[in-house]
Structures are given as C-alpha cells and as structure tokens.
Amino acid sequence: ANGQVEATGTSTGEVQAGTGVVLESNTENIGAENEIQRSRKIELFNNIEDKILYVDADGSENSDGSLDAPFVDIQTAINYVNGLEDKTGWTIVVESGEYDRFVVLDGLDGLTIKADDNAEVTIFTLNNYTPNDVKFEGGTPDMGGIQLWGAKNVVLDGFRIEIVDDSSLNHHMRAAISNHSEKLEYADNFMIRNCNIVGTENMSGQGNGNVGISISSFSSFTVENCTFTNLVEGIRGQSDNANVDE
C-alpha cells in the first residue's frame, strides 16, 4: 500500500514504510515499561508531597529518591532537597548499609535524617572522603565528619557513626559530628538521638580529632539515647556566651 495506514486500538506491530507490511514489535514491553515509569512518577510525587526521600546503598545511580528507586548515598538526597524551592521540613530515610559522611547545607531547616525501622546503618567519618558537590570554604572549613551548617532543628536518628582516620586534616574542631562554622549562620537546636558513636585508637597523631560531637556556637542542642565508645571526648563544647542547662 502506498497510502497511510491509520490504526486504532492496541497496536501489535509497526508498518514498514511504503509496504503496509506489519513488522514484529515489542509494543507490549514498551507499554509495561511506560506503566512502571508512570507508577514511579506517582510514587515520587506522593513522596514529595509527604517530603520523604529514601536512600539505599544497594540502589542505583540513576534514581529519583522514591521507595522503589532510592538514592544511593545520603549527600545526594541532601543535595536534591537543596535544589528545591521548598527546602524545609524534609525527611531522609536510610536503609541498611554502609555510607560515607555528609554535610547538611545552609537553609535545610527541620531536616530529619534517620535509619529506617530495624535498619542497621553505619556512617564512616574522618575517612578522607569529600561529599559530592560540597565546597568547603573559609567560613565552612572541613571538619572531616558529619557537618551541620546553617540549618536549624536538624535531627540525626538511629546511626552507628564510626571515626576511621584522616591524617590530612588538622583543624582543632574535627569530630565525628560537628556544627562548627566561622560564619554568622550556624546549625542550632539540633538533635542527635539513638546513635552509637565509635572512636578509634589510630588517629595518626591527631588525638584531639577522636571526638564524638564537637559543638561551637549554639543556643540549644539535644543528645538523646546515644552511646560513646573509644573516644577521647564524647561531647566537646567550644562556644562563647552560651548557656547549657543541666
């Protein structure tokens, strides 16, 4: 046939140009893939509506943070939130696995990063790892561990946080977790709960880096149901004009 072929209903093949011959096709497979994509878009939309993202170390690099396609590392999820117009009040749920340290960026107020129910999550710090797309500058030096920058009411919940070693750092405030900042904005009113912070005896001569939580400026913070093991200091406070309620 030299004319056009108009088809309605379910297609089972494609027409070879100029012949009218129906060729074998994978339309059913394409339809199934499209349905999966639509389902994932709906799921991601619901997650975004609820402000929840998921992370799984066994996930894929080509992911969107949904339950079925979780981000592969925590910093990627944080960076995703940072790129949104509405950056506040998000939750990042982390599945079992081993992860590198991360930085909570400025303005991500109310961010909760927590292990999923019954998940066993280990985060390595002071391990000479630089989180993706994080730029350390004069006002925000690299402390080597999990860092909380200018974000309020951040919650870290349910992690085993291990100090490894990093002889390349020599800042006096380095620690597994730190809110140290040399800017006017700093992390405040943060909570660390249900965490097991584990130090090391091998610190390449930088014993003062074997610290669980290092806190500089703050008005309040909460540490709840946490354990501190093999550390020089569990919690170090270095702040001017701060009041701590006993």
Side-chain angles (χ1 to χ4, degrees):
N2 293 323
Q4 295 181 341
V5 178
E6 181 177 354
T8 59
T10 302
S11 173
T12 58
E14 62 178 348
V15 178
Q16 187 177 34
T19 66
V21 177
V22 177
L23 302 178
E24 189 175 342
S25 175
N26 293 322
T27 305
E28 292 182 1
N29 292 337
I30 294 172
E33 291 175 1
N34 289 340
E35 184 61 34
I36 292 172
Q37 290 177 358
R38 282 194 294 270
S39 176
R40 282 181 55 182
K41 287 180 180 178
I42 292 171
E43 179 188 330
L44 180 59
F45 175 79
N46 291 336
N47 291 344
I48 291 176
E49 285 290 292
D50 294 333
K51 291 189 170 183
I52 300 174
L53 295 172
Y54 294 89
V55 174
D56 192 329
D58 294 328
S60 169
E61 294 292 342
N62 299 319
S63 54
D64 54 25
S66 63
L67 183 59
D68 284 344
F71 291 123
V72 74
D73 64 82
I74 297 170
Q75 191 66 54
T76 298
I78 292 172
N79 293 346
Y80 177 87
V81 175
N82 190 53
L84 300 175
E85 184 174 346
D86 182 2
K87 305 176 189 293
T88 62
W90 284 79
T91 297
I92 297 172
V93 179
V94 186
E95 303 299 336
S96 293
E98 296 180 344
Y99 300 86
D100 289 306
R101 56 105 170 211
F102 53 86
V103 175
V104 176
L105 304 172
D106 294 349
L108 305 188
D109 296 350
L111 176 66
T112 294
I113 306 174
K114 67 175 186 176
D116 202 356
D117 294 342
N118 301 315
E120 296 183 1
V121 177
T122 298
I123 299 172
F124 295 114
T125 67
L126 279 83
N127 59 342
N128 199 26
Y129 172 80
T130 301
N132 295 330
D133 299 322
V134 173
K135 186 176 182 181
F136 296 102
E137 300 177 312
T140 51
D142 188 358
M143 300 292 100
I146 296 171
Q147 289 185 235
L148 312 178
W149 285 357
K152 313 300 183 186
N153 305 309
V154 172
V155 176
L156 305 181
D157 188 355
F159 302 123
R160 176 184 174 89
I161 302 170
E162 292 189 14
I163 293 175
V164 182
D165 184 19
D166 187 356
S167 58
S168 67
L169 292 173
N170 58 12
H171 198 286
H172 67 285
M173 293 292 285
R174 62 188 177 273
I177 304 171
S178 174
N179 81 324
H180 181 72
S181 174
E182 296 169 8
K183 303 189 299 183
L184 293 177
E185 289 293 324
Y186 55 88
D188 201 6
N189 303 318
F190 56 89
M191 174 181 284
I192 302 167
R193 64 189 180 198
N194 305 318
C195 289
N196 181 13
I197 303 175
V198 182
T200 178
E201 296 178 355
N202 179 22
M203 288 297 294
S204 299
Q206 52 169 359
N208 66 334
N210 194 18
V211 175
I213 304 171
S214 184
I215 303 169
S216 56
S217 298
F218 67 93
S219 60
S220 70
F221 69 93
T222 301
V223 178
E224 179 180 282
N225 195 33
C226 293
T227 62
F228 300 83
T229 306
N230 202 26
L231 296 159
V232 173
E233 297 176 75
I235 301 174
R236 172 196 290 159
Q238 298 189 39
S239 180
D240 295 330
N241 303 318
N243 295 318
V244 178
D245 296 329
E246 296 183 357

